[in-house]
Amino acid sequence: MILQRSITLRLALLFALATMLLLAGIGYFLNRSVESHLADMDWGEIHGKWELTQNLIEEIHTPTDLAAFPQLLEGALVGHPELFVTVKDQTGKILYATSGFSFPQQFVAKDMNAPPTFSAMTTWHDGEHMFRGTVATIASNLAGHPRFTVEIALENDEHQHFLDHFHRLLLTALLFGMTAAGALGWFIARRGLLPVRDMAAVARNISVAHLNERLPFDSVPMELRDLAMAFNGMLSRLEDSFHRLTDFSSDIAHELRTPINNLMVQSQVALSQARNTEQYQDVIASNLEEFDRLARMIADMLFLAKADNGLMVAGRQQVDLETEIERLAEFFSPFAEDRGVTIITTGVGTVTGDRIMLQRAIANLLSNAITHTAPGGQVQIRLINESAALLRVEVENPGKAIPVEQLGRIFDRFYRLDPARGAAPDGVGLGLAITKSIVIAHKGYIAVSSDYNATVFTITLPATS
């Protein structure tokens, strides 16, 4: 459990494991190199004595030379107590043998007809002692003795003791290196993760009152910059969402206060003195208008809440936008005639989506356009097939230009333009926010442009081929 939770401990253990494997590989290579070098030394010693014995045998020409051969070989081996030699003739008769030593049976059974080689050297153990040796045949110049068999062995206990000591040193070095690497890895990991702890310290200081705090990007290591950027981006989004939520809550309170105050005042006035039936009916009718306004506002806020949480899913039916726009133009024609405004529709197009939701989005734009158009003006609704995959809906109306600083907030909830532009007094500023949510639910996007000539809202949707 601790291993899973601690990155420092995991890095330290991984560092120790990597060091152990590296040291083990180096130790194995050194061990093989040392063993190979010692074997080369043993082979040099054995091969030198084999050449010495060969020279002595080649000097045997007479029985007298053969009789003197053991003493000559004995003299040549003086000072080499670790070397053992046996010489036999072709019948197996021992001509010379080092006293106190016997070659193993599987070794002496060999019969080599060629000079010995390093690969032919044999290693064996006798109790606690280790030996290396070889056997080969040497041709003779003595009549009746065509060849002699020479067995040479070397006791290398000294080399074995050195190897044992060397192995202990390697094991000690391996354990020490692994321990030191673990401690060093822990220290390095602690130092390396110091920027993470600094980031955590900054994050702990972030609160509702300090949402503008950001992680120091310049002092963060390269490996953590993506994390710092992502964290700062998250903080920016949270700060923006918090401010929007604060503004939204304030706007809700402001918008709800007016109708509720109206209801309270009207009710208090109605109760302040006796009224006749007609007067009470007037009060109730006025209250119903306020209740209707509250109901529409609450319904709009619920609609936006569903859109924010991904609960608003557009339908998958074919929608003929030309027909729907014609219906909307006919529905709003009385309102437009009262204001002296003409509605003009052009273009054809079909999309896949929810007919009612698309009606509502375009109706919001059309209602706003009529409201902000001066008498005698024209509101144009155009369907433009931008490409085989995209369909554009443009709602254009003449009127005063929307200030540039307000264009960025025009789709915010409860945001209303300057009343000097002729905004509807009963609007609450949710229509464009709802329109934007509907467009996004249909995988599209909405934009607005405005100048002294006209204001144009543009909805771009995936077209149905």
Side-chain angles (χ1 to χ4, degrees):
M1 184 64 69
I2 296 178
L3 181 61
Q4 292 178 348
R5 294 179 179 177
S6 174
I7 296 179
T8 302
L9 182 57
R10 274 188 286 178
L11 289 176
L13 291 178
L14 289 174
F15 195 80
L17 178 61
T19 304
M20 181 187 70
L21 294 176
L22 178 63
L23 291 178
I26 295 175
Y28 176 78
F29 173 77
L30 291 176
N31 182 65
R32 292 302 300 268
S33 298
V34 170
E35 289 182 348
S36 178
H37 176 68
L38 294 179
D40 286 339
M41 292 176 60
D42 292 341
W43 170 245
E45 184 74 13
I46 291 173
H47 191 262
K49 299 309 177 187
W50 181 86
E51 289 182 339
L52 172 64
T53 305
Q54 182 184 31
N55 291 334
L56 291 176
I57 291 176
E58 289 176 350
E59 295 296 326
I60 299 176
H61 299 284
T62 64
T64 303
D65 296 336
L66 180 61
F69 171 74
Q71 291 183 347
L72 292 175
L73 184 58
E74 180 74 23
L77 297 177
V78 171
H80 297 280
E82 74 285 356
L83 197 65
F84 306 96
V85 179
T86 299
V87 180
K88 302 177 183 178
D89 61 13
Q90 71 278 6
T91 64
K93 179 182 177 182
I94 297 177
L95 301 180
Y96 175 83
T98 304
S99 60
F101 182 80
S102 61
F103 288 85
Q105 187 61 36
Q106 66 272 19
F107 178 78
V108 301
K110 295 181 180 180
D111 186 11
M112 305 291 293
N113 293 319
T117 61
F118 179 80
S119 60
M121 185 172 60
T122 304
T123 302
W124 73 93
H125 290 81
D126 184 6
E128 297 180 355
H129 303 285
M130 187 179 77
F131 298 89
R132 283 197 175 101
T134 187
V135 58
T137 299
I138 301 176
S140 171
N141 297 322
L142 181 62
H145 295 277
R147 68 179 184 278
F148 293 91
T149 300
V150 179
E151 301 167 353
I152 301 178
L154 179 68
E155 180 184 348
N156 56 0
D157 288 350
E158 184 178 352
H159 289 176
Q160 185 61 39
H161 295 328
F162 172 80
L163 285 176
D164 292 341
H165 180 66
F166 181 68
H167 292 162
R168 288 192 294 270
L169 288 178
L170 279 180
L171 181 60
T172 302
L174 178 63
L175 294 176
F176 176 78
M178 184 176 66
T179 303
L184 184 62
W186 182 85
F187 175 76
I188 292 175
R190 291 269 308 173
R191 294 288 300 175
L193 293 175
L194 184 60
V196 178
R197 291 194 292 275
D198 293 340
M199 292 170 65
V202 174
R204 280 193 294 268
N205 292 330
I206 296 174
S207 62
V208 173
H210 300 88
L211 282 177
N212 60 336
E213 292 284 344
R214 296 295 183 269
L215 296 177
F217 181 77
D218 295 336
S219 61
V220 173
M222 184 180 300
E223 293 80 3
L224 296 177
R225 287 189 178 181
D226 288 344
L227 176 61
M229 291 177 61
F231 191 80
N232 286 341
M234 180 191 68
L235 289 177
S236 297
R237 293 190 297 272
L238 286 176
E239 182 180 16
D240 181 67
S241 298
F242 179 79
H243 289 321
R244 286 177 177 271
L245 182 60
T246 302
D247 294 341
F248 186 50
S249 300
S250 177
D251 291 337
I252 289 176
H254 177 74
E255 295 298 335
L256 292 178
R257 181 178 59 184
T258 300
I260 291 176
N261 284 341
N262 291 341
L263 290 170
M264 291 178 61
V265 170
Q266 291 177 155
S267 299
Q268 289 171 354
V269 170
L271 294 174
S272 63
Q273 60 183 5
R275 308 284 178 176
N276 57 37
T277 302
E278 184 177 350
Q279 290 174 327
Y280 282 122
Q281 287 177 343
D282 290 340
V283 172
I284 293 174
S286 178
N287 287 350
L288 283 175
E289 291 179 0
E290 297 296 340
F291 283 128
D292 180 66
R293 182 182 178 188
L294 284 172
R296 284 188 284 111
M297 186 188 307
I298 292 172
D300 288 344
M301 288 189 295
L302 288 175
F303 184 91
L304 291 172
K306 288 182 178 180
D308 288 343
N309 290 278
L311 301 177
M312 187 176 64
V313 181
R316 301 296 300 171
Q317 65 187 99
Q318 301 293 318
V319 181
D320 184 355
L321 287 184
E322 180 189 12
T323 301
E324 299 305 324
I325 290 175
E326 290 291 345
R327 290 175 179 172
L328 289 173
E330 183 179 355
F331 177 80
F332 280 98
S333 60
F335 175 48
E337 291 175 0
D338 289 343
R339 298 186 62 87
V341 176
T342 304
I343 302 175
I344 300 176
T345 64
T346 58
V348 295
T350 304
V351 297
T352 300
D354 188 289
R355 184 176 63 85
I356 302 300
M357 291 170 62
L358 290 172
Q359 271 186 355
R360 184 174 187 180
I362 299 174
N364 286 340
L365 297 181
L366 181 56
S367 175
N368 285 346
I370 295 173
T371 301
H372 293 91
T373 301
Q378 292 182 344
V379 173
Q380 299 186 45
I381 306 178
R382 297 184 291 267
L383 283 176
I384 303 173
N385 290 282
E386 186 172 327
S387 66
L390 294 177
L391 177 66
R392 195 166 71 240
V393 182
E394 293 184 350
V395 180
E396 177 181 339
N397 69 278
K400 294 183 180 180
I402 302 175
V404 176
E405 63 274 11
Q406 293 187 351
L407 284 177
R409 298 196 58 193
I410 198 169
F411 295 105
D412 291 350
R413 299 167 189 180
F414 295 110
Y415 185 77
R416 284 174 288 190
L417 299 176
D418 188 344
R421 296 192 74 253
D426 58 344
V428 295
L430 294 176
L432 291 179
I434 291 174
T435 299
K436 181 179 179 180
S437 297
I438 292 174
V439 173
I440 293 175
H442 284 79
K443 311 299 182 185
Y445 55 91
I446 186 170
V448 60
S449 62
S450 183
D451 55 27
Y452 61 90
N453 290 321
T455 297
V456 182
F457 283 86
T458 302
I459 297 175
T460 304
L461 297 169
T464 301
S465 57

